[in-house]
Amino acid sequence: MNSPYRAHVFVCTKGKECCKRGGPKIARDLRIALRALGLKKEVRVERVGCLDHCKKGPIVAVYPMNAWYTHVKRKDVEGIVKHVCGGVPYERRLWKKD
């Protein structure tokens, strides 16, 4: 599948728990950080509905890296942005198999 973006970042912002725990603010902070780096046209941040793991929310999923981050807080945005920019995954919130 061709995409005009090199990465997509999906942030759960609609689920009751994710919304209450800051999902919308995390999505906004990700957009602001990526825009500041001049990546607005390369990386798409999408606010999405429930990703079916509410107890682990807010969830941030990054593609094509196939990285899912759980229990994300606003202070984690910098680590996720570094990963999106070509760095290593942000281990602190990276979903590990239970």
Side-chain angles (χ1 to χ4, degrees):
M1 179 172 155
N2 288 333
S3 171
Y5 303 102
R6 70 176 170 101
H8 291 262
V9 181
F10 300 99
V11 184
C12 182
T13 60
K14 306 282 193 239
K16 181 179 176 183
E17 292 302 313
C18 291
C19 191
K20 181 170 73 174
R21 295 180 191 145
K25 290 179 181 177
I26 291 165
R28 185 194 66 214
D29 291 352
L30 283 163
R31 281 189 181 124
I32 290 169
L34 291 163
R35 189 178 307 129
L37 294 171
L39 297 173
K40 182 179 179 181
K41 293 183 179 184
E42 292 182 47
V43 180
R44 177 78 179 168
V45 177
E46 284 289 332
R47 294 171 53 143
V48 297
C50 184
L51 291 170
D52 258 354
H53 297 283
C54 300
K55 290 182 181 179
K56 295 181 181 289
I59 299 282
V60 175
V62 182
Y63 286 91
M65 295 83 161
N66 195 26
W68 282 51
Y69 293 99
T70 62
H71 305 288
V72 176
K73 297 181 180 357
R74 293 177 76 189
K75 66 183 178 183
D76 299 312
V77 166
E78 182 180 348
I80 295 170
V81 166
K82 285 181 182 178
H83 181 207
V84 170
C85 291
V88 297
Y90 179 59
E91 291 294 326
R92 180 172 184 197
R93 299 288 180 200
L94 191 62
W95 188 330
K96 296 180 175 64
K97 290 191 177 191
D98 300 328

